[in-house]
Amino acid sequence: MSAVISGASLPETPSVATGLDSARSRFALYLLLGFSAGLPYYMFSTILSARLAKHGVDLVLIGFFGWVQLLPTLKFLWAPLLDRFSVPGFGRFFGPRLGWIMLSQLGIFAAMVAMAFTSSDASLPLTALFAVLLAFWTTTLEVSADAWRIELAPTPETQGPLTAANLWGYRSAMVAAGSGALIVADHANWAWAYLVIAAGAFAPLPILATMRPQARAGRARGVALATGLGASAVILGLSLLLAAGVGALVLRAAAAIGISAKTDATTTVLVLCLLPFLIMAALLPRIVGLSAGAWARRSTMVGPYVDIFWRFGYKVLPLLAFVSFYRMGDVLTLALSKPLEIAAHYDLTTMGIADGFVALPSSMAGVALGAVLAVRLRLTRALALGAIGSALGNWIFVWLWFQPPSPHVIYIATALDQFAHGMEGAVFVVFLSMLVNPRYPGAQYAFLSGFAFLLPRLLAGAGGNIARHIGFDGFFWLSGGLSLAAVLFLPLIARVQPREEAA
């Protein structure tokens, strides 16, 4: 793996936007982009689970809502389109990457406002619809921002600072959304909580709008901007109709096969987790033997993903197995930490203070340490430290569960959880970025980061069932242990190197 993580095979990529030539300006940009992506994430994951729990929704159904987080896992389905196409109008006005980011910002704002006006959860399918849309536009923003980051910073030394900036912004926004929404909901209601965070999500948009990498005459700018706004309205409307149609089909299929709050989906989920590995193992012999001119390697939609398996060959299987386990603790903590805290009799304000004043500095310190470790140590060692920290971050909730409710208890648990997962996340982002072929930055990073969350998010959806059978304490013992299990794969991937095309 030394060749992969050294960045030696990645060519220097020029700055793609005027004004981003300095390290300081890029750092500031990724603070802002991280904030833009992190703010809505809590609102369709952790905050939504707290809202549903407060409304008395069954724990198993709350677990099912965790599958909304599967949408970012599936981002590889549309990521190649973001590499290939620009948003009409916005692409000419802002440039291709920033054009998609601006459209995503508008989608995030619209979806969050819709979640505010359906915050009574009187119709759970409607709640799910707008949560899916919020997840979709948040993920689209992340795909564009990640591709841009890889283009701007092709080596571990340049990736480290941008990764830290992105995660500082991301986790700061998650903390702000978590604490702000909970406190507002406790003193007003859930509708106001979502409206306040929607306003915060809109705030970065005017700042990003000042960045116009494409120099054009005044009239051409006006036409491009007007075209972009019109196209955005059409695209947002079509995404709503498509999500509603697909959602209706999924609900009908679930009802037809008898899935309900009483359904034990754990076995089904575990089978689904194995399917990607079985499919990949079956196709690998054919992929490894493909020539450079083969359709599967040249295709716009398939080629970037086939390239991953062609470059790494059979070693891609332990590599992806490691990737699947590494973020297990982080994802499963997000799924049930708030239901656990509510069941442990913590009020929303105390939870909000923990998610704000305690989580923010802890998370930023963890991200900073992770970025330093990724640059200063061999990545395999840094990854091992991250996995150990992640396990401890999960197991601290077992301690919280058995303690009498106290602000000090939840503050300590939150601090360790956020520090550990911040450190783990920073190391992991650098690691994944170094696996990417710079020819396909958006699509390949989308696939690798999405695949990393496939197994954890499938299990998160069954988390309610699992916790019902083994208790909250058993659930967090299990999730921490699964995250630590990633260390077992490190000896297998330590020397993985990509195959180069024959000259």
Side-chain angles (χ1 to χ4, degrees), residues 221-285:
R221 281 183 184 173
V223 172
L225 183 59
T227 302
L229 291 172
S232 296
V234 172
I235 294 170
L236 293 179
L238 290 175
S239 68
L240 173 62
L241 294 176
L242 180 62
V246 173
L249 291 175
V250 170
L251 289 176
R252 287 181 184 176
I257 61 178
I259 293 180
S260 69
K262 297 180 180 180
T263 303
D264 186 350
T266 306
T267 302
T268 302
V269 166
L270 292 175
V271 171
L272 288 174
C273 291
L274 290 174
L275 281 179
F277 290 98
L278 295 176
I279 293 171
M280 287 185 295
L283 293 177
L284 258 178

Short mmCIF file of all heavy atoms in Angstrom, two decimals, residues 221-285:
data_model
loop_
_atom_site.label_atom_id
_atom_site.label_comp_id
_atom_site.label_asym_id
_atom_site.label_seq_id
_atom_site.Cartn_x
_atom_site.Cartn_y
_atom_site.Cartn_z
N ARG A 221 -23.36 36.45 -18.05
CA ARG A 221 -23.53 36.00 -16.66
C ARG A 221 -25.00 35.99 -16.27
O ARG A 221 -25.50 35.05 -15.66
CB ARG A 221 -22.79 36.94 -15.71
CG ARG A 221 -21.30 36.72 -15.63
CD ARG A 221 -20.72 37.68 -14.60
NE ARG A 221 -19.29 37.59 -14.53
CZ ARG A 221 -18.53 38.40 -13.81
NH1 ARG A 221 -19.11 39.38 -13.12
NH2 ARG A 221 -17.22 38.26 -13.77
N GLY A 222 -25.70 37.07 -16.62
CA GLY A 222 -27.12 37.15 -16.25
C GLY A 222 -27.93 36.05 -16.88
O GLY A 222 -28.79 35.44 -16.23
N VAL A 223 -27.69 35.78 -18.15
CA VAL A 223 -28.42 34.72 -18.85
C VAL A 223 -28.10 33.36 -18.21
O VAL A 223 -28.99 32.54 -17.99
CB VAL A 223 -28.06 34.71 -20.35
CG1 VAL A 223 -28.65 33.49 -21.03
CG2 VAL A 223 -28.55 35.99 -21.01
N ALA A 224 -26.80 33.14 -17.92
CA ALA A 224 -26.40 31.86 -17.32
C ALA A 224 -27.04 31.67 -15.95
O ALA A 224 -27.53 30.58 -15.62
CB ALA A 224 -24.88 31.79 -17.22
N LEU A 225 -27.04 32.73 -15.14
CA LEU A 225 -27.63 32.62 -13.80
C LEU A 225 -29.13 32.38 -13.87
O LEU A 225 -29.67 31.54 -13.14
CB LEU A 225 -27.34 33.89 -13.00
CG LEU A 225 -27.83 33.91 -11.55
CD1 LEU A 225 -27.22 32.76 -10.76
CD2 LEU A 225 -27.50 35.25 -10.89
N ALA A 226 -29.82 33.11 -14.75
CA ALA A 226 -31.26 32.92 -14.90
C ALA A 226 -31.59 31.51 -15.39
O ALA A 226 -32.51 30.85 -14.90
CB ALA A 226 -31.83 33.96 -15.87
N THR A 227 -30.79 31.02 -16.33
CA THR A 227 -30.97 29.64 -16.82
C THR A 227 -30.76 28.64 -15.70
O THR A 227 -31.51 27.66 -15.56
CB THR A 227 -29.98 29.35 -17.97
OG1 THR A 227 -30.19 30.29 -19.02
CG2 THR A 227 -30.18 27.94 -18.50
N GLY A 228 -29.73 28.89 -14.88
CA GLY A 228 -29.44 27.98 -13.76
C GLY A 228 -30.56 27.94 -12.75
O GLY A 228 -30.92 26.86 -12.25
N LEU A 229 -31.14 29.09 -12.43
CA LEU A 229 -32.24 29.13 -11.46
C LEU A 229 -33.47 28.40 -12.00
O LEU A 229 -34.14 27.65 -11.27
CB LEU A 229 -32.59 30.58 -11.12
CG LEU A 229 -31.53 31.34 -10.31
CD1 LEU A 229 -31.88 32.81 -10.20
CD2 LEU A 229 -31.38 30.72 -8.92
N GLY A 230 -33.76 28.60 -13.29
CA GLY A 230 -34.88 27.90 -13.89
C GLY A 230 -34.66 26.39 -13.94
O GLY A 230 -35.56 25.61 -13.60
N ALA A 231 -33.45 26.00 -14.35
CA ALA A 231 -33.12 24.57 -14.39
C ALA A 231 -33.18 23.95 -12.99
O ALA A 231 -33.63 22.81 -12.83
CB ALA A 231 -31.74 24.37 -15.00
N SER A 232 -32.74 24.70 -11.99
CA SER A 232 -32.76 24.20 -10.61
C SER A 232 -34.18 23.91 -10.16
O SER A 232 -34.45 22.89 -9.52
CB SER A 232 -32.10 25.21 -9.67
OG SER A 232 -30.74 25.39 -9.98
N ALA A 233 -35.12 24.83 -10.48
CA ALA A 233 -36.51 24.62 -10.10
C ALA A 233 -37.06 23.36 -10.74
O ALA A 233 -37.76 22.56 -10.09
CB ALA A 233 -37.34 25.84 -10.50
N VAL A 234 -36.73 23.14 -12.02
CA VAL A 234 -37.21 21.95 -12.71
C VAL A 234 -36.60 20.69 -12.12
O VAL A 234 -37.29 19.70 -11.86
CB VAL A 234 -36.87 22.04 -14.22
CG1 VAL A 234 -37.18 20.72 -14.92
CG2 VAL A 234 -37.64 23.18 -14.87
N ILE A 235 -35.29 20.71 -11.87
CA ILE A 235 -34.61 19.53 -11.32
C ILE A 235 -35.12 19.20 -9.92
O ILE A 235 -35.35 18.03 -9.59
CB ILE A 235 -33.08 19.76 -11.30
CG1 ILE A 235 -32.55 19.86 -12.73
CG2 ILE A 235 -32.37 18.63 -10.56
CD1 ILE A 235 -31.10 20.31 -12.82
N LEU A 236 -35.35 20.22 -9.09
CA LEU A 236 -35.87 19.97 -7.74
C LEU A 236 -37.28 19.37 -7.80
O LEU A 236 -37.61 18.45 -7.04
CB LEU A 236 -35.89 21.26 -6.94
CG LEU A 236 -34.53 21.86 -6.57
CD1 LEU A 236 -34.70 23.16 -5.79
CD2 LEU A 236 -33.69 20.89 -5.78
N GLY A 237 -38.10 19.86 -8.73
CA GLY A 237 -39.45 19.31 -8.87
C GLY A 237 -39.42 17.86 -9.34
O GLY A 237 -40.16 17.01 -8.83
N LEU A 238 -38.56 17.58 -10.32
CA LEU A 238 -38.46 16.21 -10.82
C LEU A 238 -37.93 15.26 -9.75
O LEU A 238 -38.37 14.11 -9.66
CB LEU A 238 -37.54 16.18 -12.05
CG LEU A 238 -38.10 16.83 -13.32
CD1 LEU A 238 -37.04 16.83 -14.43
CD2 LEU A 238 -39.35 16.10 -13.80
N SER A 239 -36.98 15.73 -8.94
CA SER A 239 -36.45 14.87 -7.88
C SER A 239 -37.53 14.54 -6.86
O SER A 239 -37.58 13.42 -6.32
CB SER A 239 -35.26 15.54 -7.19
OG SER A 239 -35.66 16.68 -6.45
N LEU A 240 -38.43 15.50 -6.58
CA LEU A 240 -39.54 15.25 -5.66
C LEU A 240 -40.47 14.18 -6.21
O LEU A 240 -40.86 13.24 -5.51
CB LEU A 240 -40.30 16.55 -5.40
CG LEU A 240 -41.60 16.43 -4.57
CD1 LEU A 240 -41.31 15.91 -3.17
CD2 LEU A 240 -42.30 17.79 -4.51
N LEU A 241 -40.84 14.31 -7.49
CA LEU A 241 -41.74 13.34 -8.10
C LEU A 241 -41.09 11.96 -8.17
O LEU A 241 -41.75 10.94 -7.89
CB LEU A 241 -42.11 13.80 -9.52
CG LEU A 241 -42.96 15.08 -9.60
CD1 LEU A 241 -43.17 15.48 -11.06
CD2 LEU A 241 -44.30 14.88 -8.90
N LEU A 242 -39.82 11.90 -8.51
CA LEU A 242 -39.14 10.62 -8.61
C LEU A 242 -39.04 9.94 -7.24
O LEU A 242 -39.31 8.74 -7.11
CB LEU A 242 -37.74 10.82 -9.19
CG LEU A 242 -36.88 9.56 -9.35
CD1 LEU A 242 -37.54 8.59 -10.30
CD2 LEU A 242 -35.48 9.92 -9.83
N ALA A 243 -38.67 10.71 -6.21
CA ALA A 243 -38.57 10.14 -4.86
C ALA A 243 -39.92 9.65 -4.37
O ALA A 243 -40.02 8.59 -3.74
CB ALA A 243 -38.00 11.19 -3.91
N ALA A 244 -40.99 10.41 -4.65
CA ALA A 244 -42.33 10.00 -4.23
C ALA A 244 -42.74 8.71 -4.93
O ALA A 244 -43.31 7.80 -4.31
CB ALA A 244 -43.32 11.11 -4.51
N GLY A 245 -42.45 8.61 -6.24
CA GLY A 245 -42.82 7.42 -6.98
C GLY A 245 -42.07 6.18 -6.52
O GLY A 245 -42.67 5.12 -6.29
N VAL A 246 -40.76 6.32 -6.35
CA VAL A 246 -39.96 5.19 -5.88
C VAL A 246 -40.36 4.80 -4.46
O VAL A 246 -40.48 3.61 -4.13
CB VAL A 246 -38.45 5.53 -5.95
CG1 VAL A 246 -37.62 4.43 -5.28
CG2 VAL A 246 -38.02 5.74 -7.38
N GLY A 247 -40.60 5.81 -3.61
CA GLY A 247 -41.01 5.53 -2.24
C GLY A 247 -42.31 4.77 -2.16
O GLY A 247 -42.47 3.84 -1.36
N ALA A 248 -43.27 5.14 -3.01
CA ALA A 248 -44.55 4.44 -3.03
C ALA A 248 -44.37 2.98 -3.42
O ALA A 248 -44.98 2.07 -2.83
CB ALA A 248 -45.51 5.14 -3.98
N LEU A 249 -43.52 2.74 -4.42
CA LEU A 249 -43.27 1.36 -4.84
C LEU A 249 -42.60 0.55 -3.73
O LEU A 249 -42.94 -0.62 -3.50
CB LEU A 249 -42.38 1.36 -6.09
CG LEU A 249 -43.02 1.89 -7.39
CD1 LEU A 249 -41.99 1.94 -8.50
CD2 LEU A 249 -44.21 1.02 -7.79
N VAL A 250 -41.65 1.17 -3.02
CA VAL A 250 -40.95 0.48 -1.93
C VAL A 250 -41.93 0.13 -0.81
O VAL A 250 -41.91 -0.99 -0.27
CB VAL A 250 -39.79 1.35 -1.40
CG1 VAL A 250 -39.23 0.76 -0.11
CG2 VAL A 250 -38.70 1.46 -2.44
N LEU A 251 -42.79 1.07 -0.45
CA LEU A 251 -43.76 0.82 0.62
C LEU A 251 -44.74 -0.30 0.24
O LEU A 251 -45.09 -1.14 1.07
CB LEU A 251 -44.52 2.10 0.96
CG LEU A 251 -43.71 3.19 1.68
CD1 LEU A 251 -44.55 4.44 1.87
CD2 LEU A 251 -43.19 2.68 3.03
N ARG A 252 -45.17 -0.30 -1.02
CA ARG A 252 -46.07 -1.36 -1.47
C ARG A 252 -45.38 -2.71 -1.43
O ARG A 252 -45.97 -3.72 -1.02
CB ARG A 252 -46.55 -1.07 -2.88
CG ARG A 252 -47.57 0.07 -2.97
CD ARG A 252 -48.03 0.27 -4.41
NE ARG A 252 -48.92 1.40 -4.52
CZ ARG A 252 -49.41 1.86 -5.67
NH1 ARG A 252 -49.08 1.26 -6.80
NH2 ARG A 252 -50.22 2.90 -5.69
N ALA A 253 -44.12 -2.74 -1.85
CA ALA A 253 -43.37 -4.00 -1.83
C ALA A 253 -43.17 -4.49 -0.40
O ALA A 253 -43.30 -5.68 -0.12
CB ALA A 253 -42.02 -3.80 -2.52
N ALA A 254 -42.85 -3.54 0.53
CA ALA A 254 -42.66 -3.92 1.93
C ALA A 254 -43.95 -4.48 2.52
O ALA A 254 -43.93 -5.48 3.25
CB ALA A 254 -42.19 -2.71 2.72
N ALA A 255 -45.08 -3.83 2.20
CA ALA A 255 -46.36 -4.32 2.71
C ALA A 255 -46.70 -5.68 2.12
O ALA A 255 -47.25 -6.56 2.81
CB ALA A 255 -47.46 -3.31 2.37
N ALA A 256 -46.35 -5.88 0.85
CA ALA A 256 -46.67 -7.14 0.18
C ALA A 256 -45.93 -8.32 0.79
O ALA A 256 -46.46 -9.43 0.84
CB ALA A 256 -46.37 -7.04 -1.31
N ILE A 257 -44.70 -8.07 1.26
CA ILE A 257 -43.93 -9.18 1.85
C ILE A 257 -44.01 -9.20 3.37
O ILE A 257 -43.33 -9.98 4.03
CB ILE A 257 -42.45 -9.12 1.40
CG1 ILE A 257 -41.78 -7.82 1.87
CG2 ILE A 257 -42.33 -9.26 -0.09
CD1 ILE A 257 -40.30 -7.74 1.50
N GLY A 258 -44.85 -8.31 3.92
CA GLY A 258 -45.17 -8.37 5.34
C GLY A 258 -44.21 -7.68 6.28
O GLY A 258 -44.17 -8.00 7.47
N ILE A 259 -43.41 -6.72 5.80
CA ILE A 259 -42.49 -5.99 6.68
C ILE A 259 -43.27 -4.96 7.47
O ILE A 259 -44.02 -4.16 6.91
CB ILE A 259 -41.37 -5.30 5.86
CG1 ILE A 259 -40.48 -6.36 5.22
CG2 ILE A 259 -40.55 -4.38 6.75
CD1 ILE A 259 -39.35 -5.79 4.39
N SER A 260 -43.12 -4.95 8.79
CA SER A 260 -43.80 -4.01 9.67
C SER A 260 -42.92 -3.78 10.89
O SER A 260 -41.78 -4.26 10.97
CB SER A 260 -45.16 -4.56 10.11
OG SER A 260 -44.98 -5.68 10.97
N ALA A 261 -43.47 -3.05 11.87
CA ALA A 261 -42.72 -2.79 13.11
C ALA A 261 -42.43 -4.07 13.88
O ALA A 261 -41.55 -4.11 14.73
CB ALA A 261 -43.50 -1.82 13.99
N LYS A 262 -43.18 -5.15 13.58
CA LYS A 262 -42.98 -6.41 14.28
C LYS A 262 -42.04 -7.36 13.53
O LYS A 262 -41.78 -8.47 13.97
CB LYS A 262 -44.34 -7.11 14.48
CG LYS A 262 -45.30 -6.30 15.35
CD LYS A 262 -46.62 -7.03 15.53
CE LYS A 262 -47.59 -6.21 16.40
NZ LYS A 262 -48.88 -6.90 16.57
N THR A 263 -41.52 -6.87 12.41
CA THR A 263 -40.66 -7.72 11.58
C THR A 263 -39.23 -7.73 12.10
O THR A 263 -38.67 -6.68 12.39
CB THR A 263 -40.66 -7.21 10.13
OG1 THR A 263 -42.00 -7.18 9.64
CG2 THR A 263 -39.82 -8.11 9.24
N ASP A 264 -38.65 -8.91 12.23
CA ASP A 264 -37.23 -9.04 12.57
C ASP A 264 -36.44 -9.09 11.27
O ASP A 264 -36.37 -10.12 10.59
CB ASP A 264 -36.99 -10.30 13.39
CG ASP A 264 -35.55 -10.39 13.89
OD1 ASP A 264 -34.72 -9.57 13.44
OD2 ASP A 264 -35.26 -11.26 14.73
N ALA A 265 -35.86 -7.93 10.90
CA ALA A 265 -35.17 -7.82 9.61
C ALA A 265 -33.68 -8.12 9.71
O ALA A 265 -32.97 -8.01 8.72
CB ALA A 265 -35.36 -6.41 9.05
N THR A 266 -33.21 -8.53 10.88
CA THR A 266 -31.77 -8.68 11.08
C THR A 266 -31.16 -9.71 10.12
O THR A 266 -30.13 -9.46 9.49
CB THR A 266 -31.47 -9.09 12.53
OG1 THR A 266 -32.09 -8.15 13.41
CG2 THR A 266 -29.98 -9.12 12.77
N THR A 267 -31.80 -10.87 10.00
CA THR A 267 -31.27 -11.92 9.13
C THR A 267 -31.22 -11.46 7.68
O THR A 267 -30.23 -11.66 6.96
CB THR A 267 -32.13 -13.20 9.24
OG1 THR A 267 -32.16 -13.62 10.62
CG2 THR A 267 -31.56 -14.30 8.38
N THR A 268 -32.31 -10.83 7.24
CA THR A 268 -32.36 -10.31 5.86
C THR A 268 -31.24 -9.31 5.61
O THR A 268 -30.58 -9.32 4.56
CB THR A 268 -33.72 -9.65 5.59
OG1 THR A 268 -34.75 -10.61 5.83
CG2 THR A 268 -33.81 -9.14 4.16
N VAL A 269 -31.01 -8.44 6.59
CA VAL A 269 -29.97 -7.42 6.46
C VAL A 269 -28.59 -8.07 6.33
O VAL A 269 -27.77 -7.67 5.51
CB VAL A 269 -30.01 -6.46 7.66
CG1 VAL A 269 -28.75 -5.62 7.73
CG2 VAL A 269 -31.23 -5.56 7.56
N LEU A 270 -28.33 -9.07 7.14
CA LEU A 270 -27.03 -9.74 7.09
C LEU A 270 -26.80 -10.42 5.74
O LEU A 270 -25.70 -10.40 5.20
CB LEU A 270 -26.92 -10.76 8.23
CG LEU A 270 -26.85 -10.15 9.64
CD1 LEU A 270 -26.88 -11.25 10.69
CD2 LEU A 270 -25.60 -9.30 9.81
N VAL A 271 -27.86 -11.00 5.17
CA VAL A 271 -27.75 -11.61 3.84
C VAL A 271 -27.44 -10.54 2.80
O VAL A 271 -26.58 -10.72 1.93
CB VAL A 271 -29.04 -12.36 3.49
CG1 VAL A 271 -29.02 -12.81 2.02
CG2 VAL A 271 -29.22 -13.56 4.40
N LEU A 272 -28.14 -9.40 2.88
CA LEU A 272 -27.90 -8.30 1.95
C LEU A 272 -26.46 -7.79 2.06
O LEU A 272 -25.85 -7.39 1.06
CB LEU A 272 -28.88 -7.15 2.22
CG LEU A 272 -30.33 -7.40 1.81
CD1 LEU A 272 -31.21 -6.25 2.28
CD2 LEU A 272 -30.46 -7.57 0.30
N CYS A 273 -25.91 -7.81 3.28
CA CYS A 273 -24.54 -7.35 3.48
C CYS A 273 -23.54 -8.23 2.74
O CYS A 273 -22.49 -7.76 2.30
CB CYS A 273 -24.20 -7.32 4.97
SG CYS A 273 -25.07 -6.06 5.90
N LEU A 274 -23.84 -9.51 2.63
CA LEU A 274 -22.92 -10.43 1.97
C LEU A 274 -22.99 -10.37 0.45
O LEU A 274 -22.02 -10.69 -0.23
CB LEU A 274 -23.21 -11.87 2.42
CG LEU A 274 -22.86 -12.22 3.87
CD1 LEU A 274 -23.35 -13.63 4.20
CD2 LEU A 274 -21.36 -12.13 4.09
N LEU A 275 -24.13 -9.94 -0.10
CA LEU A 275 -24.33 -9.98 -1.54
C LEU A 275 -23.27 -9.19 -2.33
O LEU A 275 -22.77 -9.70 -3.35
CB LEU A 275 -25.73 -9.47 -1.89
CG LEU A 275 -26.86 -10.47 -1.69
CD1 LEU A 275 -28.20 -9.83 -2.04
CD2 LEU A 275 -26.65 -11.72 -2.54
N PRO A 276 -22.92 -7.94 -1.92
CA PRO A 276 -21.91 -7.23 -2.72
C PRO A 276 -20.59 -7.97 -2.84
O PRO A 276 -19.97 -7.98 -3.90
CB PRO A 276 -21.74 -5.91 -1.94
CG PRO A 276 -23.01 -5.74 -1.19
CD PRO A 276 -23.44 -7.11 -0.83
N PHE A 277 -20.17 -8.63 -1.75
CA PHE A 277 -18.91 -9.37 -1.79
C PHE A 277 -19.01 -10.59 -2.71
O PHE A 277 -18.07 -10.90 -3.44
CB PHE A 277 -18.51 -9.80 -0.38
CG PHE A 277 -18.09 -8.66 0.50
CD1 PHE A 277 -18.98 -8.09 1.40
CD2 PHE A 277 -16.81 -8.12 0.42
CE1 PHE A 277 -18.61 -7.03 2.19
CE2 PHE A 277 -16.43 -7.07 1.21
CZ PHE A 277 -17.32 -6.51 2.10
N LEU A 278 -20.15 -11.27 -2.67
CA LEU A 278 -20.32 -12.44 -3.53
C LEU A 278 -20.34 -12.05 -5.01
O LEU A 278 -19.75 -12.73 -5.85
CB LEU A 278 -21.63 -13.15 -3.15
CG LEU A 278 -21.67 -13.75 -1.75
CD1 LEU A 278 -23.05 -14.33 -1.46
CD2 LEU A 278 -20.60 -14.81 -1.57
N ILE A 279 -21.02 -10.95 -5.32
CA ILE A 279 -21.08 -10.48 -6.71
C ILE A 279 -19.70 -10.08 -7.21
O ILE A 279 -19.27 -10.42 -8.32
CB ILE A 279 -22.07 -9.31 -6.83
CG1 ILE A 279 -23.50 -9.80 -6.55
CG2 ILE A 279 -21.99 -8.67 -8.22
CD1 ILE A 279 -24.52 -8.69 -6.44
N MET A 280 -18.98 -9.32 -6.37
CA MET A 280 -17.63 -8.88 -6.76
C MET A 280 -16.70 -10.06 -6.95
O MET A 280 -15.90 -10.10 -7.90
CB MET A 280 -17.08 -7.92 -5.72
CG MET A 280 -17.72 -6.55 -5.74
SD MET A 280 -16.92 -5.41 -4.60
CE MET A 280 -17.30 -6.18 -3.02
N ALA A 281 -16.76 -11.03 -6.05
CA ALA A 281 -15.89 -12.20 -6.16
C ALA A 281 -16.17 -12.96 -7.46
O ALA A 281 -15.26 -13.47 -8.11
CB ALA A 281 -16.09 -13.11 -4.96
N ALA A 282 -17.45 -13.02 -7.85
CA ALA A 282 -17.82 -13.73 -9.07
C ALA A 282 -17.33 -13.01 -10.33
O ALA A 282 -16.95 -13.65 -11.32
CB ALA A 282 -19.33 -13.92 -9.13
N LEU A 283 -17.32 -11.68 -10.31
CA LEU A 283 -16.95 -10.91 -11.49
C LEU A 283 -15.46 -10.62 -11.60
O LEU A 283 -14.97 -10.30 -12.70
CB LEU A 283 -17.71 -9.57 -11.49
CG LEU A 283 -19.23 -9.65 -11.67
CD1 LEU A 283 -19.83 -8.26 -11.58
CD2 LEU A 283 -19.60 -10.30 -13.00
N LEU A 284 -14.72 -10.73 -10.52
CA LEU A 284 -13.31 -10.34 -10.52
C LEU A 284 -12.46 -11.03 -11.59
O LEU A 284 -11.65 -10.37 -12.25
CB LEU A 284 -12.69 -10.57 -9.14
CG LEU A 284 -12.54 -9.32 -8.27
CD1 LEU A 284 -11.96 -9.68 -6.92
CD2 LEU A 284 -11.65 -8.28 -8.95
N PRO A 285 -12.58 -12.36 -11.78
CA PRO A 285 -11.73 -12.99 -12.80
C PRO A 285 -11.88 -12.35 -14.18
O PRO A 285 -10.90 -12.21 -14.91
CB PRO A 285 -12.21 -14.45 -12.79
CG PRO A 285 -12.75 -14.65 -11.42
CD PRO A 285 -13.39 -13.35 -11.05
#
